[in-house]
Each structure stands twice: as structure tokens, then as C-alpha cells.
Amino acid sequence: MATARVSFDAAVVGGGLLGTATAYHLVSAGARTLLVDRADVGRATDAGAGILSPETNSRDPEAWFRLACEAVDDYPALIDRLRGEQANDTGFAQCGKLVVAVSDDELEPFARARRIIFDRQRRRGLPKPGDLHEITAAEAGELFPPLAPVHGAIYSRTAARVDGRLLTRALRAAAEARGLVVRTGGVERLVREGDAVRGIVVDRQTVAAGAVAIAGGAWSDALGRQLGVTIPVAPQRGQILHLGLHGADTSRWPMVSAFRHQYMVAWPDSRVVAGATRETGSGFAPHTTAAGVRAVLDEALRVAPGLAGAELREIRVGLRPLTSDTLPVLGPVPGIDGLFLVTGHGPTGLTLGPYSGKVVAAQMLGRPPGTDLTPFSVARFRSSVG
Ligand SMILES: Cc1cc2nc3c(=O)[nH]c(=O)nc-3n(C[C@H](O)[C@H](O)[C@H](O)COP(=O)(O)OP(=O)(O)OC[C@H]3O[C@@H](n4cnc5c(N)ncnc54)[C@H](O)[C@@H]3O)c2cc1C
């Protein structure tokens, strides 16, 4: 095959939400940009539930919390901008979220979550008390009718959700309108010249690029290894169920989570999405399992027995790109000029994704990211940078 020499200011490897958001911000800043996507089965973005609610999170560390709050604060402006730039919906809405304790064994984790959530609220001064507070069991049941009687409930009125597939499509449409070039295919390797990355090889064709971002989700490590950089990202399978509630008006139902790592997200089309398994060590095996589906259904019906008559409409499976310390990997690779990472977002990539893409795109263009990315540098895996 002839190798025509083509050249871009920037190339992005991976067309999930992270890569697409990065590419969108690059072209928005005027950079000639190429996005290459292999569209692997198991792409996490296609399965994601879409919960954007750091204010109800009591699991992740402070570094994540700060970044996630910045990311969620940035969402409404991005959604407004996308509305003006292209025609696709994104599914974004401030639908609210409940955190509930359903059984006795959840009382202690509920008390711990309450402490962390309200402590963070006090320190930030946000959300306002009227937007994040405890409510009674009866109030919780009114908000989400299929709910079991609960021992306690915290309500975030402004928690939001988004449809990962639709958002990625919208970002891509807006970016293509600004000149983004998209190629379907696999990036076989990165082009290294001395201590710098100067491009990529896709379908045996060399493409020169001033900066390259790896946004390959769970598949990211393969490209890093070629350069002696270990990106400790591995696939964590998630199985998630779409339940149909014929004719029910679900448009105002909030999202719900309890304390067994699962949740429910209602959508306006009489649909409740229940998920998801967190199968660490699953490998690249994006298929459903009998045990996984049973686990999700058992938990959904424990928290919301009123869903028992729902129709099982669809099962999605995604491979979350999970790092060894659960934090994302963002920013330049020390010692390799021109190479950037936007990966490892695990279970919160829809929350962080558009913002992560924005801040790394800024760095790729030689601009300050506008936030402290030190906790997310690949350099934290000290022995891994070769
Ligand atoms: C069941 C489930 C529920 C979730 N729920 C939520 C949620 O409620 N809230 C939230 O914030 N997050 C959630 N997430 C997490 C979120 O979906 C992910 O963190 C995010 O989508 C990761 O996006 P990504 O672009 O990094 O990876 P992906 O979406 O997996 O995309 C990676 C892309 O890179 C491509 N690629 C890889 N290597 C190459 C190569 N060499 N050349 C070309 N292309 C390549 C792949 O083909 C793929 O298309 C959930 C995830 C799952 C699975």
C-alpha cells in the first residue's frame, strides 16, 4: 500500500467519550485534528448509565471529588453550546438523585455516606441546603414510586444524567462541522523520534501529528507499552439492564442508589436502567453472563420491588477502563514530548469525560489546563515510566 504523508496538528486515538471530547476541544481551538477509532465491541461509553452526581459520592477520594465537581459545573455550558452547534440531543437533564438505605446492614454505610456528603457540602458551600438534604421515607417513595420502604434517604435535587452515546455523537457532529477528520480503524503504533512522538500509524499509513492523545479506554495500555510506558488500565466489565415500564410516566423520577454498588436511572421513555456489575479482572470479554444479569436484577428488585413487572428490554455490556488506583490518567507523559493520556476513567468517565478532554486538549496546544492535574499524572505510577 502506498504511504501518503499526511499531517495534523493533533491526533486522538479512540472515539469513546474521552477521545471525542478531546478532539472536539482541539478543533474548537482551531487545531487540525484527526480522530481514529476502532469501535471495539465493549466500548464503555456505549453502556454507561450516565449518572453525573459527585455531590452524592462518598466513595472516591478528594482529588477525584475536586475534578468531578469542576467537570459537572462545566456541563451545562457545554450542553448549551452543543445545542447551538448541532441537532442531536444528549439526554442531559437535572433529574435529581436519591441515596437510600433499604436494609439494616445499610444503616452504617448510610451514616458514613451522610457524614461525607454533608461535610463536603459544608466545605464547598454547594449545593445549597435546599438542593441537597435528607428527606423522609414517604417523600422518597413519592419521588420514585417503585421504591421499597427505606430507613433513610438523601436527596440531591440538581443531580444530572446524560446519555453517553448521544453526547459522544453530538460532540463528534459538532467537531466534524468544525473540520475534525474521523477515520475508522486501529492505530497500530505510535511514531517515535528520539524522545518525542511525531505521529501514528493507522492501516499501515503514517500520519504526522504535532501531539498525540491516547484515549483508548480499556485498550490504552497496548499503545503505551510500545514506548515503554505502562498505563495500568484494565477492563472492568459492567452489565447493565434496560427495563421497560409500559406507559408509566418516568420523566420526573430521580436516579437512585443504595449501598451495594448499584443504581437505577430513569429515562422519559418509560424506561429504568438498572446496573451494573463491577467485574474487576474480567479481561476483554464484553458479553453477558447468567450470574451478572441475576445479580443486577436481584439488587434492582431489592431496592425497587415495584419494578418486578417491568419488561427486560435490553442488556448492555461495557468494559470500564479501570486504573490500579481508580483515578484517571490525564496529561503529558514525562520524558516523551508530544504524547498525552486521557484514559483510565473507570466508573466515572461520563462525569469527568468532557472536562478531561477540555483540559488535556489545552495542554496539547501548549496552554495551561486551568486545573491541577498532578494527582492524575501517569508519573504517579513511579516505576512504570521507562
Ligand atoms: C455499565 C457501565 C455504567 C457506567 N455508568 C457510568 C455513570 O453512571 N457515570 C459515569 O460518569 N460513568 C459511567 N461509566 C463509565 C464510563 O462509561 C467510562 O468511564 C467512559 O465511557 C470511558 O470512555 P473512554 O472514551 O475512555 O473509553 P471507551 O468508551 O471504551 O472508548 C475507547 C475507544 O478507543 C478505541 N480504541 C482503543 N484502542 C484503539 C486503537 N489502538 N486504535 C483506534 N481506536 C482504539 C476503542 O475501540 C473504543 O472505541 C459506566 C461504564 C459502564 C461500563
Side-chain angles (χ1 to χ4, degrees), residues 14 18 37-40 43-45 49-51 187 263 346-351:
L18 273 295
D37 186 34
R38 206 169 51 201
D40 285 284
R43 174 157 67 180
T45 300
I51 301 171
V187 172
Y263 46 75
T348 58
L350 302 186
T351 305

Side-chain angles (χ1 to χ4, degrees), residues 13-19 36-40 42-45 47-52 185-187 215-219 223 238-240 263 276 318-321 342-343 345-352:
V13 185
L17 178 58
L18 273 295
V36 186
D37 186 34
R38 206 169 51 201
D40 285 284
R43 174 157 67 180
T45 300
I51 301 171
L52 317 175
V187 172
W219 297 267
L223 286 175
Q239 303 182 48
I240 187 162
Y263 46 75
L319 301 174
R320 300 181 189 90
V342 205
T343 187
H345 287 61
T348 58
L350 302 186
T351 305
L352 302 171

Side-chain angles (χ1 to χ4, degrees), residues 26 50 117 156 196 223 239 249 283 286 305 314 330 340 354 367:
L26 284 165
I117 289 169
S156 168
L223 286 175
Q239 303 182 48
D249 180 6
E314 187 184 354
L330 293 171
F340 296 80
R367 299 174 185 163

